[in-house]
Amino acid sequence: MNMIKLANFLRVYVRFTIAVIVLCISDDLFSYGEGESGLTYRISHAYPIIKKVIHALESCRKPVVAALLENAKGEHLEIALSCHYRTALKTTKFGLPQVKHGLIPGLGGNEFSTEMAISIGLVDEVFSSSAEAVDRAVAFAHNLAGTFPEHRILRNCFMKDAAKGEQLMTKYMSALSTKNEKAWSVYMCLQTTYAASFLSFEEGLKKESEALQFLISSAQFRALQYVNESEILASRWKFSDKFNYQTVEPVQVRKAAVIGLGTMGSGIAIAVARIGIPVYVMEFNEAVLKERAELIYSTIRRMSLRKEITETMCNSMISGIVPISDYSMLKDVDLVIEAVFELISLKKEVFSNLNAVCKSTAILASNTSQLDIDDIASVARDPGKVVGMHFFAPSHRMKLLENVYGTYTSYQTISTAMHIGSLMGKVSVLVGNCHGFVGNRMYLHYMTESDFLLEEGAYPEQIDTTLKEFGFTKGRFEVADLSGNDVIYTVRNGTHPQKKHGKRHRERVRNGIRYCPLADILVESGRYGHKTDGKGWFKYVDRVPYVDENITQMIKSYRESHDITPRTIHFEEVLHRMLYCMINEGFKILEEGMASSPNDIDMVWLHGYGWPKSTGGPMYYAFTVETKKQMVASECKKFKFCHTWQPSVQNAILMLSALTKDATALPTLIHLFSE
Ligand code: NAD
C-alpha cells in the first residue's frame, strides 16, 4: 500500500471496521546512498506525504502497533515512533543515521542510540524468530483491542530529562568540541533535541523543519552526499568493459596467512579472522611468534569484552589464528599478506620463500607503504599473483585499504584484493604503483610544506591549530609524534637515525629541490615522539601536547644559523599551503592515471588520514574552493535556526564559534563570513 492510500485508509476505514492496526515496517521502504538528488527529492516530495501518514497514525483512535523487522532506521523508525506500540525482533537494528548524511531526522523523531532502543522503552515486545514476528505482533495487538492509547501518543509524552536540558546540552557540546566535530548536522541534532526540552511539540517540529531546510541546502550536505556516493564508487573498479568489478570473479579465499606480526600484521590477522577465514601467522623466531600471538588473542578478547564481537565469534577468531614457524605449512593457503619491515631486500626474501612453497594459484600481497610492487613481484614465479594491500594502522579498525596493482598484477588478483577489502567492511581503493601510492605520496608533500613553513616563521602549534580548525582530528606534527618521527626520517634519508648520528646533513637543497632538514635535526636530537618519553615536536603530559620551549628555541637557532629572517605567517597562508600542496600532487596523480578518479583520492584521505568528512576530501574541496566563500556567506545568512539568535551574519559567526567552543576559530569564521 503506498503512503497516500495508507493515509486515506487510516482516515476513513479505521473508524468503522477495524479494532487494531499492525503496521509491518521492513527496511526496503527507503534507503540511503542513492545520491544527493534521490534524497533531496524524497525530502521535498515524499516527506510531506509521510508527515500526513505520521499524523494519521498518531491521531488514530484505535491502537496502532508497529512490527519492526530487520532494520528500523531513519524514516522507518520515525514512522514507527508515531505508532502507539512497537514490537521488534531481537536482531532488529535501530538508529537515526541522517546525521551522518549531513541532515537530522526530519519527521518528528528524536535522537537515541541503537543499544538504548530497548532500555529506553522504545520497544514494548521483543521476539526472537523472524518467522513468527508478524503473527506475534498481531497477537500482541489483539490484546489492545478496545483501548484508546492516548497516553502512548508521542506528542503527549514529556521528555524524561527535560529539566536537565541545558546541563546535558553543555555536556554534549563540550564532548563534541573535544572531538573537534565540525559537522553542522551533529550540532543541529543536539539543538533540536534541546529545543524539544522546553518547546511545545508543534514549536519543536517547526524548529526541526527549519534546521532540516538549512542543512539540506548546505555545502556540508552536498559534500557528505558526495562522500557516500564515492564510497560506493570506489569498489566499482573498471579497466574496460571486459575487465571490471562485475566481470572478473575473485579467487575464493578459504585459508590465508600473514607474515610479520608487528603493528600492521597483528591487526591484519585479526581483520582476516573476523571475516571467518582461518589464518596462519608467522614471525621470524619462535619467541616473538608466541608473544605476538598472545597479544593478538588478548586484543580479540578485549573486543569481545567491549561487545564489538560476540563470544562465539571471539572463540572462533582465536582458534582460527594459528601460529606457525615453518613456510612449508603454507602450501595450501589461497592468500598471503606480508607485513615485515619496510626493506626491499627482506620483502624479496619473504616472497622468494613463499614462491617455493605456495600453490601456483595463491595470491601474494605486500602491505608495503611505498616500495615498488613490480620490484617485489620480480622474484615471484607468477608476477600476476602479486598485489599491494596497503592497510592503515590500526589495521583491524581503519576503514581504508589501498590496493595497489603493478604492471603484471592480473585482473583476478585485483578482484580478490578488492573483494577481501569489502568483506572486511573497508573502503577499498584501487591505485597504481608509484612511490607512496596515493595517500603517502600526497602526505610527503604535506609534511615537506609544513617544514618550509617552520623555516619561514611559523611554529608547530600554529600549523596544527590551523589544521584542526579546518577539521583534521589531529595536526600534522601531533600525528608525526604519534607514529614516530624516526620512521619518516628513515624514509627521507634511506637510513635509520642512529646510523646517521654524528654525520648531520644540513643542506637546504637536495637533488636540486628545496629541502628543510629541521625534522632531521629533531630526530637526531633523540626526539622521536611518544616513543621517546613523549618528546617530539611537542612535549606530552598524559598524551596531551604542550608547546615545548626547546623546540621553539631549536627552530629559532636553525633560522639564525641559516640567516633566515622569520616573518609573520597568517593562518590563511598556512592553511592554503598545507592543503594546496597535496591537492596539486593529487592532480599529478590523476594526470599519471595512478588513481582513476578524484573520488578515489578523496576516499583515501577521508578514511586513511583524517581529512574532515564534511568538506568532501581534498579533491572535492579543490573543486569547491572557488565558490566556497560565497557559499559559506550565503549559508550564514540563512542561518536562522537557533531561537536565541537573530539571523545576522555576525550572530551566526558567534554561534558557530560557540558551537565549536574554540576561541581560536573566531578569526577564521569572521574572515570567511565577512568576505
Ligand atoms: P613492525 O616493525 O611493527 O613489524 C614488522 C614485523 O615483521 C616485526 O614483528 C618483525 O619481527 C617481523 N619480521 C621481520 N622479519 C621477518 C621475517 N623474515 N619473517 C617474519 N617476520 C618478520 O612494522 P609495521 O609497522 O607493522 O610495518 C610492517 C609493514 O607495513 C611495512 O612494510 C610498513 O611499511 C607497512 N605499513 C606500516 C604502517 C604503520 O603505520 N606502521 C602503515 C601501513 C603500512
Side-chain angles (χ1 to χ4, degrees):
M1 188 183 293
N2 70 26
M3 286 291 161
I4 298 173
K5 281 188 185 158
L6 177 60
N8 289 337
F9 169 82
L10 289 166
R11 210 174 52 238
V12 180
Y13 296 105
V14 165
R15 260 184 256 159
F16 307 109
T17 51
I18 290 173
V20 286
I21 298 169
V22 176
L23 192 67
C24 295
I25 301 182
S26 61
D27 66 354
D28 54 2
L29 193 55
F30 314 105
S31 64
Y32 282 99
E34 298 162 7
E36 182 192 337
S37 50
L39 189 52
T40 314
Y41 179 86
R42 226 165 59 216
I43 290 171
S44 56
H45 291 76
Y47 271 34
I49 301 167
I50 302 174
K51 276 182 181 170
K52 281 189 187 152
V53 170
I54 284 179
H55 184 68
L57 287 169
E58 268 190 334
S59 47
C60 178
R61 298 187 71 82
K62 307 284 172 65
V64 184
V65 178
L68 294 164
L69 315 170
E70 302 159 33
N71 287 326
K73 290 189 178 170
E75 293 124 338
H76 301 88
L77 186 52
E78 291 199 72
I79 291 174
L81 283 170
S82 66
C83 299
H84 307 127
Y85 299 89
R86 284 157 290 277
T87 66
L89 288 170
K90 258 187 184 162
T91 49
T92 304
K93 293 192 171 71
F94 297 84
L96 292 168
Q98 288 95 326
V99 173
K100 276 200 243 162
H101 297 260
L103 299 175
I104 56 164
L107 290 168
N110 281 319
E111 193 185 51
F112 61 94
S113 77
T114 305
E115 294 78 19
M116 283 172 73
I118 293 163
S119 66
I120 60 173
L122 177 89
V123 170
D124 301 285
E125 196 80 32
V126 178
F127 311 126
S128 43
S129 147
S130 61
E132 59 176 13
V134 177
D135 290 344
R136 296 280 301 270
V138 171
F140 174 84
H142 270 302
N143 291 332
L144 301 165
T147 61
F148 173 50
E150 195 170 3
H151 65 291
R152 300 283 307 190
I153 297 172
L154 213 59
R155 69 177 61 227
N156 296 341
C157 302
F158 290 99
M159 260 176 99
K160 209 171 115 208
D161 287 325
K164 293 189 210 148
E166 198 160 343
Q167 192 188 336
L168 288 171
M169 178 82 171
T170 313
K171 181 179 147 196
Y172 291 123
M173 278 293 195
S174 97
L176 289 176
S177 121
T178 312
K179 275 176 63 189
N180 196 27
E181 181 61 67
K182 291 283 189 274
W184 290 3
S185 57
V186 176
Y187 290 104
M188 289 290 191
C189 193
L190 205 52
Q191 282 275 356
T192 43
T193 310
Y194 174 49
S197 72
F198 59 84
L199 294 179
S200 71
F201 194 80
E202 274 67 30
E203 284 172 326
L205 281 183
K206 195 166 163 274
K207 286 281 170 219
E208 187 182 87
S209 171
E210 280 171 20
L212 187 64
Q213 282 313 316
F214 166 75
L215 289 170
I216 202 165
S217 55
S218 72
Q220 282 202 353
F221 171 65
R222 285 190 291 279
L224 289 168
Q225 290 308 300
Y226 163 84
V227 170
N228 292 330
E229 280 170 35
S230 303
E231 281 176 2
I232 297 166
L233 290 176
S235 60
R236 297 182 183 169
W237 61 275
K238 181 173 181 175
F239 283 90
S240 64
D241 287 345
K242 200 168 169 196
F243 300 112
N244 58 58
Y245 73 102
Q246 286 170 311
T247 58
V248 184
E249 282 293 316
V251 167
Q252 203 182 345
V253 178
R254 292 189 189 84
K255 210 179 260 186
V258 174
I259 317 288
L261 301 179
T263 313
M264 298 307 292
S266 301
I268 297 171
I270 294 172
V272 175
R274 196 171 182 172
I275 55 171
I277 298 175
V279 54
Y280 289 131
V281 290
M282 263 187 100
E283 256 293 339
F284 78 105
N285 81 30
E286 287 281 344
V288 179
L289 177 65
K290 197 161 173 283
E291 176 208 308
R292 299 291 159 86
E294 275 314 317
L295 275 175
I296 292 177
Y297 298 149
S298 61
T299 306
I300 296 173
R301 281 190 207 102
R302 272 201 309 279
M303 287 166 72
S304 168
L305 284 177
R306 285 198 294 257
K307 305 256 181 273
E308 289 170 31
I309 50 170
T310 61
E311 216 175 305
T312 320
M313 170 91 112
C314 167
N315 294 336
S316 78
M317 281 169 71
I318 289 177
S319 60
I321 299 178
V322 182
I324 57 161
S325 44
D326 190 344
Y327 273 93
S328 66
M329 302 277 289
L330 301 179
K331 59 180 182 302
D332 60 346
V333 296
D334 304 296
L335 168 71
V336 184
I337 305 174
E338 161 280 309
V340 300
F341 301 132
E342 186 76 337
L343 293 168
I344 189 71
S345 54
L346 181 61
K347 304 260 183 204
K348 283 180 159 177
E349 186 190 313
V350 169
F351 272 70
S352 299
N353 291 338
L354 294 172
N355 221 10
V357 294
C358 291
K359 58 186 179 187
S360 61
T361 52
I363 286 170
L364 310 179
S366 172
N367 182 48
T368 176
S369 352
Q370 43 146 4
L371 297 173
D372 183 355
I373 296 296
D374 287 348
D375 199 3
I376 296 174
S378 66
V379 297
R381 184 179 39 211
D382 177 1
K385 298 284 176 211
V386 177
V387 67
M389 287 180 80
H390 183 208
F391 290 80
F392 287 72
S395 31
H396 59 300
R397 294 201 184 280
M398 286 290 279
K399 248 190 130 181
L400 178 66
L401 175 63
E402 258 187 339
N403 283 324
V404 191
Y405 64 95
T407 310
Y408 311 103
T409 311
S410 76
Y411 295 121
Q412 195 184 39
T413 304
I414 290 172
S415 176
T416 310
M418 294 296 280
H419 180 63
I420 290 289
S422 75
L423 287 178
M424 288 174 174
K426 302 209 181 273
V427 175
S428 308
V429 180
L430 188 62
V431 301
N433 180 29
C434 55
H435 188 76
F437 317 128
V438 167
N440 282 345
R441 176 169 162 178
M442 288 164 74
Y443 199 74
L444 199 63
H445 288 266
Y446 177 74
M447 285 190 297
T448 306
E449 197 64 35
S450 66
D451 296 349
F452 292 160
L453 282 163
L454 294 185
E455 207 173 54
E456 293 169 36
Y459 287 94
E461 56 277 18
Q462 181 195 0
I463 297 173
D464 274 16
T465 305
T466 305
L467 291 167
K468 285 199 272 189
E469 236 180 64
F470 177 72
F472 280 95
T473 339
K474 287 190 171 15
R476 167 261 181 273
F477 293 103
E478 213 181 320
V479 169
D481 284 348
L482 199 64
S483 47
N485 291 293
D486 55 319
V487 177
I488 194 68
Y489 178 102
T490 309
V491 174
R492 257 198 325 258
N493 297 294
T495 172
H496 193 269
Q498 272 160 12
K499 290 190 185 153
K500 198 88 184 172
H501 209 76
K503 291 186 241 159
R504 294 177 180 189
H505 284 232
R506 292 287 180 270
E507 76 271 41
R508 293 184 59 215
V509 174
R510 214 181 242 195
N511 302 325
I513 299 171
R514 181 179 173 187
Y515 184 81
C516 171
L518 257 170
D520 297 338
I521 297 171
L522 175 96
V523 171
E524 286 166 12
S525 72
R527 300 187 69 123
Y528 295 1
H530 285 277
K531 62 175 92 164
T532 47
D533 290 333
K535 288 194 179 72
W537 288 107
F538 300 110
K539 59 183 176 194
Y540 292 82
V541 180
D542 294 334
R543 296 187 85 81
V544 177
Y546 292 93
V547 173
D548 189 328
E549 273 312 311
N550 294 316
I551 295 299
T552 312
Q553 205 43 56
M554 178 192 94
I555 296 169
K556 283 182 177 165
S557 322
Y558 168 82
R559 290 180 195 140
E560 278 164 23
S561 68
H562 286 281
D563 291 328
I564 301 169
T565 309
R567 62 188 173 88
T568 304
I569 303 184
H570 195 255
F571 76 92
E572 192 180 42
E573 181 182 339
V574 171
L575 188 66
H576 286 178
R577 283 175 61 180
M578 290 300 289
L579 302 187
Y580 294 169
C581 63
M582 294 193 255
I583 291 168
N584 282 345
E585 197 59 25
F587 280 111
K588 282 188 203 154
I589 286 170
L590 283 176
E591 204 173 294
E592 291 168 24
M594 293 296 155
S596 63
S597 68
N599 308 55
D600 280 0
I601 297 179
D602 286 336
M603 291 308 97
V604 167
W605 272 82
L606 287 183
H607 295 295
Y609 297 83
W611 182 286
K613 216 175 165 184
S614 52
T615 66
M619 307 314 283
Y620 181 88
Y621 178 76
F623 288 121
T624 60
V625 99
E626 279 294 306
T627 49
K628 185 170 175 294
K629 285 175 187 165
Q630 290 93 311
M631 284 193 318
V632 174
S634 75
E635 266 166 25
C636 195
K637 284 175 193 142
K638 288 183 273 164
F639 201 105
K640 300 181 200 165
F641 168 66
C642 187
H643 68 287
T644 50
W645 302 85
Q646 293 304 310
S648 75
V649 169
Q650 278 306 314
N651 279 338
I653 292 166
L654 289 170
M655 177 177 171
L656 281 179
S657 170
L659 288 177
T660 59
K661 287 249 175 219
D662 185 353
T664 54
L666 200 58
T668 321
L669 291 164
I670 290 173
H671 179 78
L672 282 173
F673 282 76
S674 55
E675 287 205 359

